[in-house]
């Protein structure tokens, strides 16, 4: 909910129109967002997508569901609320997910707050299209390192209801967000949340706590790129983004510790974003398998346990 001070300082929005359709409302908000030179990269690709997201939230529908209601007349109260959220997006330059308190990933809704990074990861695509099945046996175990809001752990648990998932993060505020999302999707018994700095969150490795798949979307933005990020990214916790001089600080620790926690035929899956060259320079000896996602074949890699030992 917007605070009173913010509401009083927002620019004037169009007067609500009793006959405005959902489609027209989306068009007007998209035009407003488009003129504001915003950056899109937190669950929406452009102004039109964010406008759809804003309006669908007022209708209590998913963005996809809202597409079936474009010709419906939108209530003036919902119009007014939608324009207020659009104005807040423009004025604050914060990711829309924080303003609405919700984000969508692979069609699944997640509670979202500034305590954790906005849910987004190319790994979600691999979960959704079953690309990870070869490393997830029935009754297997998976670990989501740097889980943040818990979105990847939740998507994995929803896709594979017969596996047990552990999810850890160094940030207690982020884990509080993850806990809310586990409750929302009824997964508190299938996913265990653990607090700690990477492997320190886990007990000493033994036969009972090794994993068939370890996945991680770690902080990997190199220091030069961090300094050039748009305002929307600076609204997120720096702890969830910054990966050191070459972006590989945490990835070095992840790769070093992974062999102790992987089963014999297990695998480690890591998202590295735009740090392909830095990864290759840091780990020239590792025969990584590059996984194809919509952003290309240099964003996510998989390393089999045998190649880490």
């Amino acid at each position: 909910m917007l605070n009173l001070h913010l509401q009083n300082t927002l620019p004037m929005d169009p007067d609500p129109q009793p006959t405005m359709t959902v489609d027209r409302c989306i068009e007007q908000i998209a035009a407003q967002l488009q003129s504001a030179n915003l950056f899109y990269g937190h669950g929406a690709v452009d102004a039109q997508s964010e406008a759809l997201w804003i309006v669908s939230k007022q209708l209590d529908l998913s963005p996809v569901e809202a597409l079936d209601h474009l010709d419906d007349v939108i209530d003036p109260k919902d119009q007014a609320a939608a324009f207020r959220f659009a104005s807040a997006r423009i004025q604050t330059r914060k990711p829309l997910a924080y303003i609405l308190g919700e984000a969508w990933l692979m069609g699944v809704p997640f509670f979202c707050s500034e305590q954790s990074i906005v849910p987004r990861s190319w790994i979600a695509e691999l979960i959704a299209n079953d690309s990870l099945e070869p490393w997830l046996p029935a009754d297997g175990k998976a670990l989501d390192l740097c889980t943040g809001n818990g979105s990847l752990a939740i998507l994995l648990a929803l896709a594979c209801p017969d596996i047990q998932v552990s999810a850890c993060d160094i940030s207690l505020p982020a884990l509080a967000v993850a806990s809310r999302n586990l409750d929302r999707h009824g997964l508190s018994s299938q996913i265990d949340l653990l607090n700690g700095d990477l492997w320190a969150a886990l007990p000493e490795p033994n036969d009972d706590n090794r994993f068939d798949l370890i996945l991680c979307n770690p902080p990997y933005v190199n220091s030069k790129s961090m300094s050039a990020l748009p305002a929307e990214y600076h609204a997120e916790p720096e702890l969830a983004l910054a990966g050191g001089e070459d972006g590989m600080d945490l990835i070095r620790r992840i790769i070093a510790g992974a062999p102790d926690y992987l089963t014999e035929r297990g695998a480690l899956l890591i998202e590295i974003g735009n740090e392909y060259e830095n990864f290759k320079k840091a780990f020239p000896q590792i025969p990584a398998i590059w996984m194809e996602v919509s952003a290309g074949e240099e964003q996510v890699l998989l390393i089999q346990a045998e190649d880490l030992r």
Side-chain angles (χ1 to χ4, degrees), residues 57-300:
K57 179 68 172 177
Q58 313 320 309
L59 303 176
D60 199 24
L61 298 170
S62 73
V64 173
E65 290 171 336
L67 293 174
D68 293 328
H69 297 269
L70 296 178
D71 294 330
D72 293 358
V73 172
I74 181 170
D75 185 276
K77 290 183 179 179
D78 293 332
Q79 290 177 47
F83 279 102
R84 285 197 301 272
F85 282 119
S87 294
R89 171 73 174 98
I90 292 167
Q91 180 172 307
T92 67
R93 287 300 202 268
K94 290 181 179 179
L96 182 58
Y98 289 157
I99 296 169
L100 296 180
E102 185 175 68
W104 293 81
L105 187 61
M106 294 294 111
V108 178
F110 295 97
F111 168 71
C112 195
S113 81
E114 293 175 55
Q115 294 173 305
S116 71
I117 195 170
V118 174
R120 62 184 183 277
S121 173
W122 304 117
I123 292 174
E125 293 183 10
L126 300 173
I127 295 172
N129 65 22
D130 299 327
S131 294
L132 306 180
E133 275 194 2
W135 295 277
L136 285 171
D139 300 322
K141 293 181 180 179
L143 170 66
D144 178 19
L145 276 175
C146 307
T147 193
N149 51 71
S151 56
L152 291 181
I154 287 169
L155 290 176
L156 193 60
L158 291 173
C160 306
D162 57 341
I163 71 169
Q164 188 65 31
V165 182
S166 297
C168 65
D169 203 281
I170 192 173
S171 168
L172 280 171
L175 287 175
V177 176
S179 181
R180 288 189 60 172
N181 282 318
L182 261 60
D183 290 342
R184 178 172 187 168
H185 293 287
L187 292 170
S188 296
S189 63
Q190 190 183 353
I191 301 176
D192 298 317
L193 294 180
L194 305 168
N195 175 233
D197 185 5
L198 296 179
W199 307 113
L202 302 170
E204 288 297 315
N206 57 64
D207 290 341
D208 294 326
N209 71 346
R210 289 191 172 90
F211 301 93
D212 302 289
L213 178 68
I214 297 174
L215 56 87
C216 185
N217 179 20
Y220 55 67
V221 182
N222 69 66
S223 57
K224 183 178 180 180
S225 295
M226 278 294 298
S227 65
L229 287 176
E232 283 84 349
Y233 286 100
H234 289 293
E236 297 183 293
E238 183 177 348
L239 183 67
L241 296 173
E245 185 68 24
D246 64 351
M248 296 293 113
D249 282 6
L250 269 77
I251 293 173
R252 288 185 178 91
R253 295 171 55 201
I254 291 165
I255 289 177
D260 292 335
Y261 286 97
L262 282 170
T263 60
E264 184 176 348
R265 301 187 65 179
L268 171 66
L269 184 77
I270 308 175
E271 176 172 326
I272 62 163
N274 296 321
E275 304 297 334
Y276 177 81
E277 293 300 330
N278 282 331
F279 179 88
K280 296 292 285 186
K281 183 177 180 180
F283 307 101
Q285 77 285 4
I286 293 180
I289 299 170
W290 295 92
M291 310 293 285
E292 185 174 357
V293 297
S294 59
E297 298 180 358
E298 298 180 351
Q299 303 277 332
V300 182

Side-chain angles (χ1 to χ4, degrees), residues 24-39:
R24 181 60 179 156
C25 187
I26 292 171
E27 287 181 4
Q28 288 194 9
I29 289 176
Q32 192 177 86
L33 298 175
Q34 186 67 45
S35 66
N37 195 31
L38 301 171
F39 183 86

